[in-house]
Amino acid sequence: MGGLNTTLNIGVEALDVTQGELDATSNNISNSSTPGYTEETAQISENALTQSGGQVEGGGVTLDGITTTQDELLNLQIQQQTSLQSSASTASGILDQVQTYFDSTGTDIASTLTSFSSSLDALSANPTDTADQQAVLDAGQNLASSFNSTADGLTSAQSSASSEAVSTVAQINTLTGQIAQLNGEIAQLKAAGQNDDSQQDSLNESVLKLAGLTGISVTQSDGGVTITSGNGTPLVEGDQSFSLSTSAGSDGSVEVLDANGNNITSSITGGQLGGALAMSNTEIPQMLSQLNTLATQFAGAFNSAQEAGVTSSGSQGQAFFTLPADGANAASGLSVALTDPSQLAIDSNTTSDGSNIANLSGAVVNALPSDVATSSEGGLTASTGLTAGSVTTIADAMTGKTFSYTASAGSTLADLQSAIASAVASGTLSAGTTLDFNSSGQAVISTTTAGDTLQVSSTDSVLGGFNSSGPTPANAYASLVDAVGNAASNASTESSAISSNLTSLNNQQSSQTGVDIDTETANLIRYQTAYEAGARIVSTMQQLLQDTMDMGGSQTY
Amino acid sequence: MTVLASEDRIRRTREQIELLCTVRSELVSAMLAIAQNRLSDLEESIAEQEAMTARLRLVLGGEATPGEESRQRATGVPAGFALQEAGLDQGQDLSEELWIAGKELQQTARIYARLLEHSSHSAALMASLLGSMRERGREVSGSGTRYQTWSCQI
């Protein structure tokens, strides 16, 4: 049995440990709702056994310190998923806004286009009716307004996305500065042998926030964390941070520059910045481009039909729509040029027979895009010759698959049709796809339900001259709406899926490092019960001993 | 007092000394359990202490014979500390040994009591923290929201 000093030491050490436990538990409870907080644990170690009077007894314990536990791999997964989720969420939010401009409200392009077509049908029944002529002008004005408001809406959404990208870069710079500072503090604390748990928690929280802003790569080292962007551009090294900046590109896009002024926009993926840049620089401009093409081709075709006819007074028809000189503003600047219903070129010749109205209606139906063909699934039906050496490239945006056809001398559209059919059969292209050629002769495929019509539309010379009964303008517009809807749906689905993963990962992390109040409470109650019982016993024991010693001492010694 | 009775007294005194040492050892074990944060060990030790305290009560105060009880009442000297009066050689040594064991147990018990007191205080602090947390959660979601801080609760 050790002496009283040993006993006293054990008691003092026990007090230290209890104090350490209290500190750790207090922190755990107080911070149970603090983002990024990692549960603290009092680390104790047993002292060597002591020998006294031939007996061996415990040497007490020592409080080594308060420590936290981190799962770096789990943290990394959470950072990556946070980055992806943030990107998808940002894109989804912007696309939701974009979608509202394509909703069927009665004043949307699809509705006003239908109304415009209906007004021409009504006019064809009464070509000289002034009210019907005025109705065509009014419907044309409504259609132009729909193009204007839709384009303005897309431009506004693009502007919002650009602003978000710029403000996100500012947030990134603030966070990288904070992380660099924390790196410095951690290095100093480590050098001094002091506890850096609080700083580590703050660091982890800041890194996670940064991952939500942009895709990053994180490397742990003694000096804290080193953070780079997707292409390896350093953002934080030790206690030094490297700021990003933004500038406007020549095409109006947002460019992100590294600390040396290099344009790293294309390498930025993930996070709020990645999502905002994709919307601002790619997705919305593509939609605007499609809308402008639609406006240009529709107005151009209708103007041609109008200019080919004559008015009821025998004057040569003049352009119905006014199109801005810059095609990039076609949709936003579209307006009706005619000011009087009598200016409608309803006749094909000087005879007032309303014969040109059919051409005007036909222009509405066939105008968009300019050279349009439809065929049943599996191929094309025309056989106009192709230009030797011309290359047709089809890229499937959904699957990433591409199809390329190089025409040789004598190649016909039937050859292209056959090649496409073979590609569909081999799975290179999916059956039931819609092929929309852009002005570069490349096609972007959006998958539709199998069995749908295979549409091929082209504005370039590869399929030049190929012209048959085409889709209606409403269908062409519907294709754009589908593209917007699909993009929004994909972003939303992706965001939800990643969010689910993220929740799972966060739960996993919480179970490892979080604070379980219920467990703390249950243990506390047990401790309290034990302490109370111990106190009652020792009180009884002390009273018993005191009485006995008092009696014995007064008589014997 | 017969020799037989004296020998019995010596045997019982030795038993008392041994019990006092064992109880003290148990208190040290309890302190170690607290220090090592081993709740189940502490609970076991407390159960053991309970049994030992009952035994201690019997050995130190409740085992005297009717004759000894009347003598104790008359002189105030408990059985365990009056061995020299029995005229035995070992009496003085055993009495001192018993006295020392009792004193050591008393001091250990005081340290243990202080530890329990402090630990109870710690537990009360933690209970306050938990209470504040639960109270805060309830009140924020209910009507008549009342905010409070940790320091207020503590």
Side-chain angles (χ1 to χ4, degrees), chain A residues 414-436:
Chain A
D415 297 326
L416 175 58
Q417 169 195 348
S418 175
I420 291 176
S422 298
V424 170
S426 67
T428 307
L429 294 175
S430 301
T433 56
T434 299
L435 313 181
D436 295 317

Side-chain angles (χ1 to χ4, degrees), chain A residues 6-94:
Chain A
T6 306
T7 307
L8 194 58
N9 283 340
I10 291 173
V12 170
E13 285 159 358
L15 288 176
D16 285 344
V17 169
T18 306
Q19 187 62 51
E21 290 282 352
L22 176 64
D23 290 344
T25 306
S26 300
N27 274 342
N28 290 344
I29 294 171
S30 303
N31 291 288
S32 62
S33 301
T34 304
Y37 180 78
T38 308
E39 185 179 26
E40 292 183 341
T41 309
Q43 295 296 321
I44 56 174
S45 59
E46 291 185 35
N47 296 333
L49 298 177
T50 57
Q51 273 195 319
S52 177
Q55 291 190 20
V56 177
E57 64 179 35
V61 293
T62 300
L63 178 65
D64 296 328
I66 309 291
T67 62
T68 60
T69 306
Q70 298 278 345
D71 185 332
E72 297 301 340
L73 185 60
L74 189 59
N75 285 350
L76 187 62
Q77 286 179 300
I78 289 175
Q79 286 161 12
Q80 289 171 342
Q81 293 292 309
T82 298
S83 185
L84 291 174
Q85 202 276 334
S86 184
S87 174
S89 174
T90 301
S92 177
I94 294 171

Side-chain angles (χ1 to χ4, degrees), chain A residues 304-320:
Chain A
S304 295
Q306 164 78 8
E307 287 165 349
V310 295
T311 66
S312 54
S313 63
S315 303
Q316 191 66 40
Q318 55 183 294
F320 184 95

Side-chain angles (χ1 to χ4, degrees), chain A residues 162-361:
Chain A
S162 298
S163 297
E164 186 164 355
V166 171
S167 68
T168 303
V169 166
Q171 292 175 52
I172 289 170
N173 289 338
T174 302
L175 269 178
T176 52
Q178 289 173 357
I179 291 169
Q181 187 179 347
L182 285 166
N183 269 347
E185 289 175 15
I186 289 169
Q188 285 181 355
L189 288 169
K190 278 189 173 165
Q194 293 179 340
N195 185 293
D196 62 356
D197 286 346
S198 174
Q199 283 74 14
Q200 286 286 2
D201 284 343
S202 299
L203 182 71
N204 289 338
E205 182 64 13
S206 297
V207 170
L208 191 58
K209 279 184 186 170
L210 185 61
L213 296 180
T214 185
I216 53 173
S217 176
V218 183
T219 310
Q220 292 279 351
S221 65
D222 289 342
V225 292
T226 298
I227 300 175
T228 58
S229 70
N231 70 337
T233 300
L235 297 176
V236 178
E237 275 181 6
D239 59 359
Q240 192 176 4
S241 65
F242 302 89
S243 294
L244 300 178
S245 59
T246 55
S247 67
S250 56
D251 57 353
S253 62
V254 177
E255 289 181 348
V256 179
L257 312 177
D258 67 11
N260 296 321
N262 300 316
N263 186 348
I264 59 168
T265 312
S266 60
S267 68
I268 290 177
T269 56
Q272 199 171 301
L273 181 59
L277 284 175
M279 290 296 109
S280 166
N281 293 352
T282 308
E283 297 288 338
I284 296 177
Q286 279 181 357
M287 293 171 193
L288 267 172
S289 175
Q290 282 182 269
L291 191 66
N292 285 326
T293 300
L294 198 65
T296 302
Q297 294 182 345
F298 168 73
F302 195 82
N303 284 348
S304 295
Q306 164 78 8
E307 287 165 349
V310 295
T311 66
S312 54
S313 63
S315 303
Q316 191 66 40
Q318 55 183 294
F320 184 95
F321 291 105
T322 299
L323 273 167
D326 182 1
N329 297 321
S332 63
L334 185 67
S335 62
V336 173
L338 302 188
T339 56
D340 191 285
S342 64
Q343 294 173 305
L344 268 176
I346 57 174
D347 301 325
S348 301
N349 48 49
T350 52
T351 307
S352 296
D353 58 0
S355 57
N356 198 41
I357 296 175
N359 294 333
L360 292 171
S361 294

